[in-house]
Amino acid sequence: MFSTEQRCWFVRKVICWRAAASNAWAVLLLLPITAVFVILSRFSLLHPIQTISECLSLLTSASAIFSFILLCGVILMIGFLNLEYYTVIPAIACSKIALLGQLLHPRQFVNSLVHCIMGIIVAWCCAITIGGRYETLCYTCTQSDGSPQMCLNEFHLILLLAGAFVGFSHSLLGVIYNMNYVSFHTVQQYKYLRFKGSLPLVVKCSATQALYSIRNYIVVYFFLGYIPKAWVCKTLNLHLNSTAQPLDSVAGLLDLSLLYHLWISATFQLFTWYITLQLFRIFITEAYSFPVQSSFTEDAHQCISKVLTDKQPMILKFLALQDLALLSQHSPSRRCEVFSLSQPGGHPHNWNAISKECLSLMTDLTQRLVAYHDTVATNGRAKSLSTGSERKTSSETSVTSGTEDLMSPRPTLLMKTPASVFARSIVGGPQSPLTAPFTPDLDSPFASPALRRLTAPVDCSPWHGTVQSPHIMRRGPKLWSTSTDSQVNGSPVPSPASVPSPKQETSKPSVLAQFLHNRKEQLPEASSQALFADSQAHIWALEGLSYLVQASFSEDHFGVVQTTLPSILSCMLVLQEAVDRHFKLPHASSKPIKSTISMGDSSYKTLRFALRATLKTAIYRITATFGDHLKAVQLSAEHRKRLQHFLEYKE
């Protein structure tokens, strides 16, 4: 609908400038951070005044200025990586094999290599700053016969390798703890207050993670330290001083001064990187106000109703939904623009576009929950997945025009579960491979009839795909599974109950096959988290839609909201039933284990609880506002009965 330049306006005008501003602040904060590091690395309790004077002279030296320039380059590179790898939907690995695949991805390999190089640069700057025995890589030593020779300074080498190891560990932990995940705070604060509040956590995480990394590095260097020493000596034609104590020994690694300088250098390295990451998160998630309608055609693509249907970038859609939730609560003038009619014509285009996209999000989540619950109920467990795949927007195949069709599921679509709410894969034919990770094989004769009806090209009600009648027997769990090879070949598959199978010797799987099978077993808690990984968008859609409906009771002078009120209530009630069914699963209602100290944002682990609370609050917000007027709304008998519970505050 819009050109590529129009779709990328937000990246050029907003995202890039916000990233540049966060990097600029990180560079400005680098000077006081470096000064503190110089004082901590050179401080002496016996000579405090002399230490301060030495630190001041060091900060004004040429070597310190050159080191500061290198550190600025590292900060800018870290900021670029943050901009390149950030995501608003976390990539949750639901099995150990999936996590291993993320760690071994070529893109992650490049990321780890860059972090190792930057870690070496930071460690070299730390060695120059600390000075003394750490300052140079080689020095002149005397042989046994008295002749001078160039020997390797192992203290300098161990510091450089520590920087590379800390950088590599930081890269791996970024994947494990989803450090590239950017979450949005519920409470809106100024950037300064957010940064001030997060500063103690950054200091604590830097010091703690540096301690763990140095501990692991010492163990690795104790066993494998001779390899880099021999390689450096051979490459640079250096010698090992036989009179010096080697550091890859117990006596060499028990040097308290060495351990302290390793830890303080690693803390400085991680602190500068974490500060850059935290500033990027604060700037990138700042609320943005989109115009509701524009007077100029060339600016129409910047309106919130158009932005909500954009494909990329995903941060644009999230900020638009956040702005929708904020305007629906705190901006009466912008709400009037949402309820306004177009001139000429008198059509509520703004309200239709916004409500249709919000209902589309909720319908997609309902279909994913139904498919997931059906798969778990029939097969015992769902297929493993990772939510880091490419995502598409729901505007690609939006629902049909008209308020009556807002709740009808897409007949030819199969949702990627639990990938982004904006993703879906088109089924090409009856034998097309399914890309939905939680979707069972529809070609199988034992596949769920409910899921077949969910994806069948027929018109159906919002309750299509679920058992509503008490006279219909519920399906029991499947006790067997079949291969689709016979169906592909065209031969029918005999029923296990009617055709007796000959006795066959059970072949024991190999050790490797059993190992891979165990690693592929899906983690139930992770699968539930992945299913709701993008639920922040649904939370904002629920809040925005419910607040707009509440405000329409007194502000909607044209009655544009009343035409879609039945669809809104039905959509919310269907979603609530699907969420309630999901929380009846054993693993869904359990609270996640509190994660260790890390800069990774783990708020996505509790999104399903926030969604359930927001959904119930949204329905209560509407029922408390309209009251008995809702009895005149056209709803099914089941929906009317469930809505009556909310009117009587029994839910």
Side-chain angles (χ1 to χ4, degrees), residues 548-622:
L548 287 175
V549 172
Q550 181 189 38
S552 70
F553 188 78
S554 57
E555 299 177 9
D556 182 15
H557 304 295
F558 302 104
V560 298
V561 176
Q562 311 308 318
T563 58
T564 55
L565 188 57
S567 299
I568 293 173
L569 290 174
S570 299
C571 185
M572 289 184 177
L573 292 173
V574 171
L575 179 58
Q576 197 213 18
E577 181 180 356
V579 171
D580 290 343
R581 290 178 63 194
H582 180 80
F583 272 89
K584 292 179 182 179
L585 298 176
H587 59 273
S589 58
S590 60
K591 292 286 184 179
I593 301 175
K594 188 177 181 179
S595 60
T596 57
I597 299 176
S598 171
M599 281 298 293
D601 196 331
S602 59
S603 59
Y604 64 88
K605 296 182 179 180
T606 57
L607 277 178
R608 62 183 185 272
F609 301 100
L611 176 71
R612 181 175 63 170
T614 303
L615 178 58
K616 185 172 292 187
T617 304
I619 300 176
Y620 269 122
R621 185 176 294 120
I622 296 175

Side-chain angles (χ1 to χ4, degrees), residues 169-452:
S169 301
H170 171 77
S171 177
L172 294 184
L173 292 177
V175 177
I176 297 174
Y177 293 116
N178 278 301
M179 288 189 187
N180 63 332
Y181 168 59
V182 176
S183 65
F184 294 81
H185 279 223
T186 305
V187 180
Q188 297 296 315
Q189 290 181 308
Y190 290 108
K191 294 189 289 291
Y192 169 74
L193 296 178
R194 285 190 60 185
F195 176 76
K196 181 181 176 182
S198 62
L199 196 57
L201 177 63
V202 174
V203 175
K204 186 176 183 180
C205 290
S206 303
T208 306
Q209 190 56 51
L211 187 63
Y212 291 149
S213 298
I214 294 302
R215 179 200 62 183
N216 299 335
Y217 170 69
I218 289 174
V219 175
V220 173
Y221 192 83
F222 177 77
F223 290 102
L224 304 176
Y226 68 94
I227 298 177
K229 281 198 303 183
W231 181 79
V232 172
C233 289
K234 183 178 180 181
T235 304
L236 302 179
N237 196 19
L238 299 176
H239 302 275
L240 292 175
N241 192 354
S242 58
T243 61
Q245 177 68 41
L247 296 183
D248 55 344
S249 61
V250 177
L253 292 175
L254 288 180
D255 187 346
L256 296 181
S257 177
L258 173 63
L259 295 177
Y260 172 75
H261 284 115
L262 287 175
W263 173 73
I264 198 69
S265 300
T267 303
F268 171 74
Q269 176 180 337
L270 292 177
F271 184 75
T272 54
W273 293 2
Y274 286 161
I275 281 290
T276 307
L277 174 63
Q278 189 64 24
L279 285 171
F280 177 79
R281 290 174 176 175
I282 293 174
F283 274 84
I284 208 71
T285 57
E286 184 182 6
Y288 187 87
S289 180
F290 296 88
V292 178
Q293 55 188 1
S294 175
S295 303
F296 303 98
T297 308
E298 57 270 15
D299 296 333
H301 61 280
Q302 300 182 12
C303 296
I304 189 171
S305 58
K306 304 298 182 182
V307 170
L308 285 174
T309 59
D310 275 350
K311 302 177 183 178
Q312 294 295 338
M314 204 62 68
I315 182 72
L316 175 60
K317 188 151 193 167
F318 271 64
L319 287 174
L321 288 168
Q322 183 189 44
D323 184 47
L324 175 64
L326 293 177
L327 78 87
S328 64
Q329 300 178 51
H330 310 296
S331 182
S333 60
R334 299 179 70 195
R335 288 199 301 261
C336 290
E337 294 184 56
V338 174
F339 300 143
S340 64
L341 302 178
S342 63
Q343 297 297 333
H347 299 288
H349 293 308
N350 295 329
W351 166 253
N352 287 342
I354 292 174
S355 61
K356 182 165 66 174
E357 186 62 29
C358 292
L359 291 177
S360 176
L361 295 179
M362 289 186 283
T363 304
D364 291 344
L365 180 60
T366 303
Q367 293 178 357
R368 282 159 40 186
L369 289 172
V370 170
Y372 176 80
H373 187 276
D374 187 80
T375 305
V376 172
T378 54
N379 293 339
R381 63 175 178 269
K383 300 178 182 179
S384 61
L385 77 156
S386 176
T387 61
S389 58
E390 193 74 21
R391 291 168 170 88
K392 302 179 182 179
T393 60
S394 58
S395 61
E396 232 178 293
T397 50
S398 58
V399 293
T400 57
S401 59
T403 57
E404 296 81 11
D405 300 328
L406 288 175
M407 283 296 300
S408 61
R410 279 42 139 220
T412 60
L413 299 179
L414 214 62
M415 298 307 302
K416 277 188 178 181
T417 311
S420 167
V421 65
F422 318 113
R424 53 176 60 95
S425 55
I426 307 298
V427 180
Q431 302 296 337
S432 299
L434 299 179
T435 58
F438 282 147
T439 307
D441 189 1
L442 296 181
D443 294 332
S444 173
F446 309 110
S448 169
L451 192 58
R452 284 179 176 175

Side-chain angles (χ1 to χ4, degrees), residues 464-573:
H464 183 270
T466 56
V467 178
Q468 297 299 321
S469 175
H471 303 288
I472 301 178
M473 295 180 59
R474 294 187 176 272
R475 299 181 301 274
K478 292 183 181 179
L479 302 181
W480 58 81
S481 60
T482 61
S483 173
T484 58
D485 295 339
S486 58
Q487 292 181 342
V488 174
N489 297 333
S491 58
V493 181
S495 172
S498 59
V499 180
S501 58
K503 295 183 178 180
Q504 298 179 354
E505 296 182 359
T506 58
S507 59
K508 187 177 181 180
S510 62
V511 178
L512 179 60
Q514 187 66 27
F515 174 80
L516 293 176
H517 175 74
N518 294 336
R519 294 305 180 271
K520 286 182 180 179
E521 286 295 323
Q522 188 173 346
L523 307 175
E525 175 66 22
S527 65
S528 183
Q529 294 173 9
L531 188 62
F532 293 89
D534 56 353
S535 290
Q536 184 60 66
H538 305 92
I539 292 174
W540 283 328
L542 286 167
E543 289 181 348
L545 205 58
S546 61
Y547 275 112
L548 287 175
V549 172
Q550 181 189 38
S552 70
F553 188 78
S554 57
E555 299 177 9
D556 182 15
H557 304 295
F558 302 104
V560 298
V561 176
Q562 311 308 318
T563 58
T564 55
L565 188 57
S567 299
I568 293 173
L569 290 174
S570 299
C571 185
M572 289 184 177
L573 292 173

Side-chain angles (χ1 to χ4, degrees), residues 84-101:
E84 183 68 20
Y85 285 87
Y86 85 96
T87 179
V88 293
I89 303 176
I92 304 174
C94 294
S95 64
K96 297 178 181 179
I97 289 293
L99 179 60
L100 184 62

